């Protein structure tokens, strides 16, 4: 429009005046047009340079991993099966002795055991030994010592007990040996063993002894060339046939010596097996810690060997390489046709190493043909090769699921579904990945429902459960029939496009591949889903380099069998291996920044309770629940249509409904600081998993429990069931129920257990104290709550640090008809609990009284000690019980 006005004005001025004047104006006009054209050219060039990306000249690195052994040599070393009958007499657990759980060596040992998902018990050296046996079995399959000093300097009595245990149950030891701290000590003999240690040695050209029975996952035959970074190695010298080298190396010059140093290329032993022919105990000695990656392999094979196969690893590894964000990406960074060709050729090569290998492509259809001409040709080439790859649905416009409701999510998914149908993309309908892992965990319920309705999703994966780091603690879970598998990173993200700008340089990536973090995922995890992005296959094609390199490295150094199956098969296999992972453990999404970023802005952790009344049943929890609601700053949960005032979230199937469901039972507090949300569920106190689940979601919550005489509690529960028409309570006396044998009918045993077990207070309270410090647990004497609720409520308010402080003298008074305190209503009448509360029933017979006294006595003594240890006031009923 501006250009048009300019031209009209120029034309008008040009036509004015005489022809002579027009000649001058013609020159002016020509000059103006030339200037305008030049300005337009500059503007167009500037716009083009800033809006049209220029593809950087790529320089894809070539995989440099080569195996020294040929296939014939490799076939000579078959993996060992360590299974023997001795494994039947030991437990599937490891005992670890450390000087400090915070030392570098201790952290390495425990993190490796966690990575391998091996159960262990950690003990500080110098303490008494834990119980080593149970019935006729040993509790531990392997004993690990953080340092040799901890073993040889053990108390003589403990050392004898431990050695005898190892001899009797054929249990082996793993011992790490560290260089001496004292300056000048070069060699030292191990007390009691024909073994000499040589300290502070630098080594190079590390290789494994091929002729030993330890190797299962580890494949001998390769050599770690050049110097090993650490120069504080311990090497072993011996003169007894009980010892067998596990690894050798050559001496290397220490880094601090000058160039005139005369090299000593002597071969030394760096890891050693004591076969036990000397004293009946097999031991593996490491001359350095687990920082050296080969030691990780020796470590897990050593555990398998010493445990007689009890703690042995399967050799199959199932892998899936997801390629997120197909068609998505900033122009200038997306795949070209050449990149797609390279991807297909790499896949063909990898199929020779990994059974059924296919790249798994996740697409967002809206971005198709949104790149440069080269990139659009790449999009077309991907679709031309569509049947070469596996496919799964992302979101249509790469939307983050947690930001949308179910209707909008379904609309996006349907568009992506239609795109796949129009372009004949062979989508695996039962697997999907959410962009940014949004809505998978923390769970966004509309995402799971939309997945089910549109794609019938059965499997997904995320790196966020329970947290991104540490990577070895990632787990799977099942929610709404969707199997959520742990996803692994491989060091490649959306912005890691070129090798020369890789964070930390190429060495960091190669270190991860060659024994580092990426290699360890293959070593320890039987099932791996790897996250990559489209940009990692363009530019320098770092994903192709990374996976071709790491798979070659795995093949060189291990006996692992790499396979690929469908995501659905992977999910089934994962939960067959780890059935304990099926149930999720909900965590507070507001205490972890990454989780908060992918949690809906419409949700608030302010709707989670600040304290719980956990029971047990028939101790006065309903009365306390009513008294608490008198306080204006205390807000109770909404009633449940099934369980009335009790939500019962942490102790049953409601837990599987997720925290969105849980939070719906609580109001939005007017003031999140001063208002106190709470819930009362009397079944929580003795719930097996409840303390763990509560602590996972609400680690700072406060806990209130009420304890009365457990015999009275048991009798009250029986009377409660009888009043509610329970068939068993109506047909059996109380004494018959509490003395019922294990051979009694199931319903009788169930009523017996619900009568007796909640009253074993010490057992349940110990579980709560395992997860919560005593300052977060308040114990109410149930007798005092009944006789003097005003004083109790005063103490409860102090425990909660709640304001304003209410004087309950104004709100409670004793009702002589009911026999307990009731709330004073606004009309000055007594507002008491219903008929089912405060019932009067016949006294318990003496036979039952005596039985229960003996049944609970031992536990009550233990309870008294536990309460005293944590500086709790001993309830009046317990003092009376123990004084009789």
């Amino acid at each position: 429009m501006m250009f048009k006005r300019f031209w009209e004005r120029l034309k008008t001025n040009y036509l004015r005046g005489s022809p002579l004047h027009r000649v001058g104006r013609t020159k002016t006009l020509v000059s103006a047009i030339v200037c305008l054209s030049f300005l337009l050219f500059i503007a167009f060039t500037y716009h083009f340079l800033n809006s049209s990306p220029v593809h950087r000249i790529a320089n894809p690195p070539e995989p440099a991993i080569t195996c020294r052994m040929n296939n014939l040599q490799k076939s000579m070393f078959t993996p060992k099966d360590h299974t023997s009958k001795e494994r039947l007499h030991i437990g599937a657990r490891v005992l670890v002795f450390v000087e400090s759980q915070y030392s570098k060596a201790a952290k390495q040992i425990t993190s490796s055991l966690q990575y391998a998902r091996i159960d262990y018990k950690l003990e500080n050296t110098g303490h008494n030994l834990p119980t080593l046996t149970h019935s006729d079995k040993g509790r531990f399959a392997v004993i690990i010592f953080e340092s040799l000093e901890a073993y040889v300097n053990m108390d003589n009595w403990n050392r004898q007990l431990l050695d005898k245990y190892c001899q009797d149950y054929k249990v082996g030891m793993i011992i790490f040996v560290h260089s001496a701290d004292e300056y000048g000590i070069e060699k030292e003999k191990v007390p009691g063993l024909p073994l000499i240690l040589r300290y502070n040695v630098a080594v190079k050209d590390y290789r494994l002894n091929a002729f030993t029975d330890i190797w299962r996952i580890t494949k001998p035959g390769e050599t770690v060339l050049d110097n090993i970074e650490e120069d504080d190695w311990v090497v072993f010298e011996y003169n007894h046939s009980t010892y067998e080298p596990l690894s050798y190396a050559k001496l290397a010059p220490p880094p601090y010596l000058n160039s005139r140093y005369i090299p000593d290329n002597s071969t030394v032993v760096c890891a050693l097996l004591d076969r036990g022919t000397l004293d009946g105990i097999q031991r593996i000695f490491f001359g350095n810690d687990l920082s050296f990656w080969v030691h990780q392999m020796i470590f897990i094979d050593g555990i398998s060997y010493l445990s007689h196969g009890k703690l042995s690893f399967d050799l199959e590894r199932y892998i899936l390489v997801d390629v997120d964000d197909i068609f998505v990406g900033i122009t200038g960074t997306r795949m070209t046709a050449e990149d797609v060709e390279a991807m297909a050729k790499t896949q063909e090569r990898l199929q020779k190493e990994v059974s059924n290998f296919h790249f798994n492509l996740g697409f967002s259809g809206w971005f198709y043909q949104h790149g440069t001409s080269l990139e659009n040709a790449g999009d077309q080439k991907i679709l031309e090769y569509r049947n070469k790859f596996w496919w799964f649905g992302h979101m249509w416009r790469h939307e983050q699921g947690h930001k949308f409701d179910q209707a909008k999510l379904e609309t996006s998914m349907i568009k992506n579904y239609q795109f796949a149908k129009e372009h004949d993309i062979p989508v695996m309908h039962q697997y999907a990945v959410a962009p940014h892992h949004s809505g998978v965990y923390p769970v966004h319920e509309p995402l799971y429902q939309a997945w089910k309705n549109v794609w019938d999703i059965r499997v997904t994966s995320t790196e966020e459960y329970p947290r991104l780091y540490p990577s070895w603690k990632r787990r799977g879970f099942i929610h709404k029939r969707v199997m959520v598998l742990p996803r692994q990173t491989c060091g490649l993200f959306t912005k890691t496009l070129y090798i020369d700008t890789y964070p930390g340089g190429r060495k960091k990536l190669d270190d991860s591949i060659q024994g580092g973090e990426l290699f360890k995922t293959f070593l320890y995890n039987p099932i791996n889903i790897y996250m990559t992005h489209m940009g990692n296959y363009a530019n320098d094609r770092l994903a192709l380099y990374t996976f071709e390199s790491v798979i070659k490295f795995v093949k060189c150094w291990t006996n692992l069998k790499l396979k690929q199956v469908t995501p659905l098969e992977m999910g089934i296999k994962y939960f067959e291996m780890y059935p304990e992972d099926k149930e999720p453990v909900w965590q507070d999404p507001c205490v972890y920044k990454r989780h908060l970023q992918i949690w809906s802005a419409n949700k608030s952790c302010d709707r989670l309770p600040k304290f719980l009344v956990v029971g047990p049943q028939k101790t006065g929890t309903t009365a306390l629940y009513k008294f608490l609601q008198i306080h204006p700053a205390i807000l109770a949960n909404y009633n449940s249509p099934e369980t009335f005032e009790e939500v019962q979230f942490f102790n049953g199937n409601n837990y599987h409904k997720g925290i969105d469901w849980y939070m719906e039972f609580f109001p939005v507090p007017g003031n999140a600081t001063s208002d106190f949300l709470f819930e009362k569920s009397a079944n929580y106190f003795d719930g097996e998993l409840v303390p763990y689940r509560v602590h996972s979601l609400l680690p700072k919550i406060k806990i209130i429990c009420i304890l009365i005489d457990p015999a009275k509690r048991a009798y009250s529960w029986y009377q409660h069931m009888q009043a509610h028409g329970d068939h068993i309570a109506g047909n059996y006396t109380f004494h018959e129920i509490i003395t019922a044998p294990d051979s009694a009918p199931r319903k009788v045993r169930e009523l017996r257990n619900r009568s007796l077990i909640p009253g074993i207070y010490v057992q349940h309270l110990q579980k709560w104290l395992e997860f919560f410090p005593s300052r977060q647990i308040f114990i109410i004497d149930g007798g005092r709550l009944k006789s003097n609720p005003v004083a109790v409520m005063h103490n409860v308010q102090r425990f909660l640090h709640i304001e304003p402080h209410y004087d309950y003298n104004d709100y409670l008074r004793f009702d002589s008809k009911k026999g307990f305190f009731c709330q004073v209503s606004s009309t000055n009448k007594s507002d008491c609990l219903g008929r089912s509360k405060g019932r009067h029933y016949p006294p318990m017979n003496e036979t039952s009284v005596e039985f229960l006294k003996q049944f609970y006595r031992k536990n009550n003594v233990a309870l008294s000690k536990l309460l005293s240890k944590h500086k709790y006031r001993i309830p009046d009923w317990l003092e009376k019980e123990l004084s009789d």
Side-chain angles (χ1 to χ4, degrees):
M1 185 64 71
M2 289 180 65
F3 179 79
K4 185 177 180 182
R5 286 199 299 268
F6 171 80
W7 176 254
E8 291 297 330
R9 183 176 294 178
L10 192 64
K11 187 168 68 173
T12 302
N13 291 335
Y14 174 76
L15 294 174
R16 286 177 184 172
S18 65
L20 184 64
H21 286 107
R22 286 186 196 135
V23 172
R25 291 194 195 101
T26 299
K27 293 181 180 178
T28 303
L29 179 61
V30 170
S31 298
I33 291 172
V34 170
C35 290
L36 182 60
S37 300
F38 180 75
L39 290 172
L40 288 172
F41 173 77
I42 294 294
F44 176 79
T45 303
Y46 178 82
H47 174 75
F48 179 82
L49 290 174
N50 283 274
S51 62
S52 297
V54 178
H55 277 273
R56 218 186 88 166
I57 297 175
N59 184 29
E62 290 293 328
I65 307 297
T66 55
C67 297
R68 290 166 56 97
M69 292 192 300
N70 58 39
N71 290 333
L72 178 61
Q73 290 171 317
K74 291 177 187 176
S75 65
M76 295 170 59
F77 305 111
T78 56
K80 300 298 188 293
D81 182 358
H82 298 140
T83 303
S84 69
K85 63 180 182 181
E86 281 78 9
R87 69 189 178 93
L88 302 175
H89 305 292
I90 51 178
R93 203 176 190 201
V94 168
L95 177 60
V96 184
F97 287 98
V98 298
E99 294 176 9
S100 167
Q101 61 180 321
Y102 304 108
S103 69
K104 176 186 174 183
K107 288 180 179 179
Q108 288 176 342
I109 293 167
T110 55
S111 64
S112 295
L113 292 172
Q114 289 167 3
Y115 217 146
R117 299 184 70 142
I118 293 175
D119 189 21
Y120 66 91
K121 180 174 178 58
L122 204 63
E123 286 289 333
N124 286 333
T125 56
H127 292 184
N128 290 331
L129 291 178
T131 303
L132 298 175
T133 60
H134 178 70
S135 298
D136 60 342
K137 283 190 175 183
R139 294 181 62 208
F140 305 102
V142 179
I143 312 295
I144 300 176
F145 281 91
E146 172 195 9
S147 68
L148 177 62
E149 291 80 3
Y151 176 60
V152 298
N153 296 328
M154 210 173 194
D155 172 82
N156 190 47
W157 175 251
N158 286 341
R159 169 78 178 270
Q160 289 180 21
L161 284 177
L162 189 64
D163 284 354
K164 189 173 189 311
Y165 169 77
C166 292
Q167 292 159 352
D168 290 348
Y169 291 92
K170 302 294 186 291
V171 170
M173 296 181 181
I174 292 177
I175 301 174
F176 292 88
V177 187
H178 307 286
S179 283
D181 294 330
E182 294 84 354
Y183 178 77
I185 298 180
E186 294 185 1
K187 286 188 177 183
E188 189 173 24
K189 184 180 181 302
V190 178
L193 296 175
L195 188 60
I196 295 173
L197 310 177
R198 184 175 174 184
Y199 295 124
N200 295 308
V201 172
V203 299
K204 63 179 182 179
D205 299 347
Y206 191 102
R207 60 191 172 86
L208 301 170
N209 175 16
F211 305 101
T212 177
D213 291 334
I214 280 188
W215 310 133
R216 176 170 172 77
I217 286 179
T218 309
K219 182 186 293 179
E222 301 298 323
T223 301
V224 181
L225 297 173
D226 300 323
N227 290 16
I228 311 301
E229 288 186 3
E230 297 83 357
D231 61 352
D232 59 347
W233 282 77
V234 177
V235 296
F236 304 97
E237 299 175 4
Y238 54 88
N239 57 2
H240 196 283
S241 60
T242 191
Y243 295 114
E244 177 179 276
L246 296 179
S247 65
Y248 305 99
K250 290 182 179 179
L251 291 177
Y256 51 82
L257 293 183
N258 58 41
S259 59
R260 291 181 294 177
Y261 173 79
I262 301 174
D264 177 2
N265 286 325
S266 300
T267 297
V268 292
V269 176
C270 302
L272 186 69
L273 170 65
D274 177 352
R275 292 181 297 185
T277 60
L278 186 66
D279 62 0
I281 302 174
Q282 294 191 101
R283 303 177 182 90
I284 293 176
F285 296 93
F286 285 88
N288 210 305
D289 57 27
L290 293 174
S291 300
F292 182 44
W293 64 270
V294 179
H295 281 184
Q296 298 267 348
M297 296 195 298
I298 301 175
F299 183 67
I300 59 175
D301 275 353
I303 289 175
S304 173
Y305 175 80
L306 295 174
S307 69
H308 311 287
K310 187 80 173 184
L311 300 172
S312 195
F313 282 81
D314 195 274
L315 296 177
E316 291 183 332
R317 294 291 183 272
Y318 297 92
I319 68 170
L320 181 67
V321 179
D322 285 347
V323 187
D324 294 355
D325 305 348
I326 291 295
F327 308 130
V328 184
I330 301 170
T331 50
T333 65
R334 296 167 58 167
M335 294 178 73
T336 66
E338 287 186 4
D339 294 327
V340 179
E341 293 278 5
M343 186 182 196
K345 289 178 181 177
T346 301
Q347 177 174 283
E348 288 176 9
R349 290 195 297 272
L350 289 177
Q351 285 172 345
K352 297 175 183 177
E353 307 291 344
V354 182
S355 172
N356 198 34
F357 181 83
H358 292 80
F359 287 112
N360 194 31
L361 278 53
F363 65 97
S364 293
W366 186 87
F367 296 91
Y368 179 66
Q369 298 290 283
H370 275 60
T372 64
S373 58
L374 287 174
E375 292 169 342
N376 288 344
D379 287 357
Q380 293 169 5
K381 181 62 72 173
I382 291 175
L383 290 185
E384 180 186 334
Y385 283 3
R386 61 189 177 277
N387 291 316
K388 291 181 180 288
F389 307 115
W390 287 3
W391 293 80
F392 66 91
H394 243 7
M395 298 290 284
W396 171 242
R397 295 193 63 168
H398 205 253
E399 298 97 327
Q400 295 185 40
H402 74 281
K403 295 181 178 179
F404 301 96
D405 60 22
Q406 183 178 327
K408 290 182 178 178
L409 290 172
E410 288 187 7
T411 299
S412 173
M413 291 178 190
I414 289 170
K415 288 180 178 178
N416 223 30
Y417 179 90
Q418 291 171 339
F419 175 85
K421 197 171 182 180
E422 290 167 5
H423 292 86
D424 195 25
I425 297 174
V427 177
M428 286 186 158
H429 293 288
Q430 293 187 305
Y431 179 70
V433 174
H436 304 280
H437 304 279
S438 162
V440 181
Y441 188 84
V443 165
H444 186 56
E445 298 291 349
L447 175 66
Y448 282 78
Q449 194 60 46
W451 267 344
K452 177 184 177 183
N453 293 347
V454 177
W455 292 104
D456 189 25
I457 295 302
R458 293 285 311 280
V459 190
T460 185
S461 60
T462 183
E463 60 186 16
E464 296 294 344
Y465 177 77
R467 288 190 176 188
L468 177 62
Y469 297 112
S471 60
W472 61 81
K473 287 189 177 181
R474 292 178 199 153
R475 296 289 185 265
F477 66 95
I478 298 176
H479 184 62
K480 298 293 177 68
R481 297 185 68 240
V482 174
M483 294 179 283
V484 183
L485 299 180
R487 214 176 193 209
Q488 304 301 329
T489 56
C490 61
L492 302 177
F493 302 95
T494 52
K495 296 181 180 179
T496 44
L497 307 178
Y498 299 100
I499 194 68
D500 59 358
T501 59
Y502 187 86
R506 177 169 179 169
K507 183 179 184 303
K508 184 174 181 181
L509 178 58
D510 285 343
D511 285 347
S512 177
I513 292 168
Q514 299 175 34
E517 184 175 350
L518 180 56
F519 172 75
K520 288 178 186 175
T521 61
F522 284 82
L523 182 64
Y524 286 105
N525 297 335
I527 290 178
N528 283 298
I529 297 178
Y530 293 101
M531 175 182 70
T532 64
H533 302 82
M534 183 181 71
N536 306 137
Y537 297 81
N539 311 293
D540 277 355
R541 303 171 188 162
L542 294 185
L544 302 184
Y545 169 76
T546 297
F547 282 99
E548 202 160 6
S549 296
V550 73
I551 287 171
K552 282 186 177 181
F553 192 81
V554 168
K555 288 289 185 175
C556 288
W557 280 94
T558 77
N559 292 308
L560 296 175
K561 301 171 185 176
L562 305 183
K563 300 181 178 182
Q564 183 167 324
V565 295
T566 67
L568 183 60
E569 290 176 278
M570 290 183 85
I572 293 169
K573 286 181 180 296
Y574 179 90
F575 290 106
E576 284 176 351
M577 294 176 186
Y578 307 117
E580 67 276 13
D581 285 1
K582 289 181 180 179
E583 290 194 356
V585 178
W586 308 125
Q587 295 177 311
D588 186 347
C590 296
V591 299
Y592 186 41
K593 185 178 178 181
R594 286 182 62 94
H595 287 173
L596 198 54
Q597 290 171 344
I598 53 175
W599 202 44
S600 173
N602 298 326
K603 301 173 186 177
S604 170
C605 292
D606 294 337
R607 291 185 73 180
L608 292 171
K610 289 185 178 179
F611 71 95
L612 300 177
V613 177
V614 299
Q617 290 172 310
K618 308 309 296 177
T619 58
T621 54
T622 302
L624 179 63
Y625 173 80
K626 293 294 185 183
F627 296 165
L628 286 166
Q629 291 182 88
I630 294 172
H631 199 293
I634 297 178
L635 305 174
N637 56 275
Y638 301 133
N639 278 7
S640 163
E642 289 92 23
T643 50
F644 306 103
E645 78 269 13
E646 297 193 354
V647 181
Q648 295 190 13
F649 174 66
F650 293 103
N651 64 317
N653 290 330
N654 288 338
Y655 187 74
H656 303 139
K657 296 177 181 177
I659 63 172
D660 287 3
W661 180 89
Y662 183 51
M663 289 193 298
E664 286 298 317
F665 281 91
F666 296 95
V668 178
N671 187 320
T673 303
S674 60
D675 289 348
F676 281 65
L677 301 182
F678 87 101
E679 69 140 320
K680 183 270 289 188
S681 290
N683 283 333
Y684 287 172
F685 180 73
D686 57 300
E688 184 71 22
L689 296 173
V690 173
Y692 171 56
R693 287 174 171 177
V694 171
H695 183 264
S696 296
L697 179 61
L698 305 165
K700 295 183 179 179
I701 200 168
K702 294 192 172 183
I703 308 296
I704 297 176
C705 55
I706 306 173
L707 305 183
I708 67 170
D709 183 340
K712 291 182 178 179
R713 197 220 70 82
Y715 191 48
S716 179
W717 177 254
Y718 170 80
Q719 294 290 342
H720 169 81
M721 296 301 291
Q722 199 173 60
H724 281 75
D726 180 75
H727 175 72
I728 299 300
N731 287 285
Y732 290 83
T733 66
F734 177 60
H735 189 73
E736 288 173 332
I737 291 295
I738 60 177
T739 59
D742 289 340
S743 57
R746 181 175 60 84
K747 292 287 187 182
V748 173
R749 285 183 280 116
E750 287 177 356
L751 181 55
R752 177 199 66 184
N753 293 342
R754 287 309 303 160
S755 298
L756 297 176
I757 291 176
I760 307 175
Y761 299 142
V762 64
Q763 175 181 307
H764 309 306
L765 189 56
Q766 278 176 328
K767 288 182 182 176
W768 286 97
L769 289 167
E770 286 176 12
F771 294 96
F772 293 94
S774 57
R775 65 178 179 275
Q776 285 179 236
I777 301 176
F778 188 69
I779 298 174
I780 294 175
D781 180 341
R784 285 171 57 81
L785 177 64
K786 184 176 181 180
S787 63
N788 191 1
V790 172
V792 169
M793 296 308 296
H794 168 76
N795 291 331
V796 168
Q797 291 178 86
R798 288 180 59 189
F799 168 68
L800 296 174
H801 300 290
I802 196 167
E803 295 292 340
H805 190 89
Y806 253 44
D807 184 356
Y808 273 78
N809 275 308
D810 299 331
Y811 302 97
L812 298 176
R813 69 182 173 206
F814 186 77
D815 187 288
S816 55
K817 291 183 180 179
K818 279 285 188 180
F820 50 76
F821 281 80
C822 300
Q823 181 179 347
V824 179
S825 70
S826 57
T827 58
N828 201 33
K829 293 183 178 179
S830 293
D831 185 6
C832 296
L833 298 176
R835 293 180 179 179
S836 64
K837 303 299 178 182
R839 290 193 192 93
H840 296 283
Y841 34 76
M844 195 188 320
N845 63 61
E846 286 300 319
T847 309
S848 297
V849 169
E850 188 58 32
F851 173 83
L852 291 174
K853 185 175 182 179
Q854 295 303 318
F855 180 85
Y856 286 118
R857 181 161 186 81
K858 183 179 177 181
N859 294 296
N860 286 342
V861 171
L863 174 65
S864 176
K865 292 178 180 178
L866 182 66
L867 295 176
S868 298
K869 176 184 175 181
H870 291 281
K871 297 182 172 55
Y872 286 113
R873 183 181 183 275
I874 306 297
D876 295 341
W877 64 264
L878 183 55
E879 283 191 341
K880 182 178 182 298
E881 175 75 21
L882 297 178
S883 64
D884 288 347

